[in-house]
Amino acid sequence: MTTVHELPTPCLLLDPVRLERNIERMKRRAVDLGVALRPHMKTAKSIEVARLAAPDGGITVSTLAEAEYFSAHGFEDILYAVGIAPGKFDRVEMLRSRGADLQVVVESAGAARQVAARGIPAWIEIDADGRRAGLEPEDLEVLRIAELLGGSLRGVMTHHGLSYAARTQVARAEAAAEERDAVVEAARRIRSLGIPCPAVSVGSTPTASAATDLSGVTEMRPGVYMFMDLYQAAIGVCDEADIAISVLASVIGHRADGFLIDAGALALSLDRSTSRLPMDLGYGKVCDLDAVPLHDWVVDSVTQEHGVVRSPEGPPPSLPEGAMVRVLPNHACITAACHAEYQVLHDGVEVTDRWGRVGGW
Ligand code: PLP
């Protein structure tokens, strides 16, 4: 049996009990809301996690590398949910020729013409929050693109990124309603022209966790819910005890105001999303090997391979050299992306498995 004490640090730990609990909770929500679940695999990027999370077989990905990896492992219904660039058509067609039902996202007539000419199924991206990509539901361009796509149109999709700023369940439910209304309205307008628009897709973890009525929607695509993180806990989407990944690090030195660990920017990431919240958790919250927080200790500063653990309020933290800590991530997607694999850890001690991750684009 390998124990946590034998692992090289830094490395990424995954708690399978928390993972499965998070996954089951979202599956139940999808059933209760009457929609399919097309989980976004951009967070986990792991086939073992996809097998647990994708009950209907359909998945969302954020890179063609993920599409190729999941297709090679038997997933065929794949939505590549980042606007398609012309240089990627060859890879899309290669995957489709091998049997994958890979679908792309467009938001311009130019892209629509190209995908329609190649017979690649496409979704129109709708902007539900004025924040990132897509067209507003009332934009006439939506109808023009739908006409150009014709039989290649799979549906309309949106992602309400602004829901991350909603700090209460009520505000997140409102964001979920906005997200729903944007795509349902776009689908209605397309169908009023007699063009079939089979699917209507929404999804972020905050909206999926708070939606109360998804009438007219066919599926949702949350992703970070599988692992959760300090940001989701801080805005009230989950509890800290739901966070399923952490970075294992060793104490490597001491300073007057704290101690050094061997996890820096390349193991934790430079994500500082909790700095926008009342409780700034630095580059991550420091816990013992059972993932129980150690006082108010946070990783307060990082360089490439070093992290400095400090206490915002209390006396300078200290642990003996060689001691191990677990650091909970601010943003699970970004921290996980720093690592090539997961060490699957039961009860904080026994390493039962290693699961790979796909990287690159
Ligand atoms: N769909 C799209 C297009 C996204 O970009 C994202 C996340 O960035 C998601 C779904 C999943 O949202 P979350 O990470 O909040 O679970």
Side-chain angles (χ1 to χ4, degrees), residues 239-273:
D239 293 327
E240 257 176 39
D242 294 321
I243 300 174
I245 59 165
S246 54
V247 174
L248 182 70
S250 300
V251 178
I252 55 168
H254 296 91
R255 308 160 36 108
D257 57 353
F259 62 88
L260 288 174
I261 57 174
D262 60 357
L266 290 189
L268 301 172
S269 87
L270 283 175
D271 189 283
R272 291 280 291 111
S273 43

Side-chain angles (χ1 to χ4, degrees), residues 1-16 246-252 262 289 322-326 339 341-355:
M1 172 180 102
T2 307
T3 70
V4 69
H5 304 282
E6 297 162 71
L7 289 174
T9 53
C11 66
L12 185 62
L13 303 178
L14 174 57
D15 180 328
S246 54
V247 174
L248 182 70
S250 300
V251 178
I252 55 168
D262 60 357
L289 287 183
M324 285 174 156
V325 293
R326 291 169 69 169
H339 299 263
E341 62 181 13
Y342 302 94
Q343 307 288 341
V344 182
L345 187 70
H346 264 280
D347 292 333
V349 180
E350 191 187 349
V351 182
T352 53
D353 223 334
R354 284 163 59 181
W355 292 352

Side-chain angles (χ1 to χ4, degrees), residues 28-35 207-208 210-215 217 220:
R28 277 198 305 277
R29 279 199 67 69
V31 170
D32 291 348
L33 290 162
V35 296
T207 53
T212 54
D213 176 4
L214 289 185
S215 305
V217 168
M220 58 183 191

Side-chain angles (χ1 to χ4, degrees), residues 159-320:
H159 166 68
H160 201 302
L162 203 55
S163 63
Y164 274 60
R167 305 284 159 79
T168 64
Q169 189 74 350
V170 171
R172 285 187 286 277
E174 280 165 10
E178 258 175 45
E179 193 180 40
R180 173 203 64 206
D181 290 348
V183 269
V184 168
E185 173 60 9
R188 187 194 65 74
R189 291 164 64 88
I190 292 169
R191 289 169 185 151
S192 73
L193 295 185
I195 301 169
C197 179
V200 178
S201 180
V202 295
S204 74
T205 289
T207 53
S209 304
T212 54
D213 176 4
L214 289 185
S215 305
V217 168
T218 61
E219 61 169 47
M220 58 183 191
R221 313 177 315 277
V224 76
Y225 72 95
M226 300 173 205
F227 292 167
M228 295 297 188
D229 54 34
L230 291 170
Y231 189 88
Q232 299 294 330
I235 64 173
V237 170
C238 68
D239 293 327
E240 257 176 39
D242 294 321
I243 300 174
I245 59 165
S246 54
V247 174
L248 182 70
S250 300
V251 178
I252 55 168
H254 296 91
R255 308 160 36 108
D257 57 353
F259 62 88
L260 288 174
I261 57 174
D262 60 357
L266 290 189
L268 301 172
S269 87
L270 283 175
D271 189 283
R272 291 280 291 111
S273 43
T274 58
S275 66
R276 300 196 294 268
L277 302 173
M279 177 65 92
D280 182 347
L281 296 169
Y283 295 86
K285 193 162 186 169
V286 178
C287 300
D288 66 15
L289 287 183
D290 292 318
V292 176
L294 288 163
H295 315 280
D296 62 349
W297 299 356
V298 296
V299 181
D300 185 50
S301 63
V302 290
T303 51
Q304 187 162 340
E305 301 295 352
H306 292 78
V308 182
V309 176
R310 296 191 180 94
S311 158
E313 303 281 341
S318 186
L319 283 177

Side-chain angles (χ1 to χ4, degrees), residues 40 42-43 60 81 125 132 157-159 164 203-206 221-225 232 331 333:
H40 206 317
K42 79 190 193 72
T43 311
T60 314
E125 182 151 21
R132 195 173 70 181
M157 52 79 72
T158 193
H159 166 68
Y164 274 60
S204 74
T205 289
R221 313 177 315 277
V224 76
Y225 72 95
Q232 299 294 330
H331 187 170
C333 312

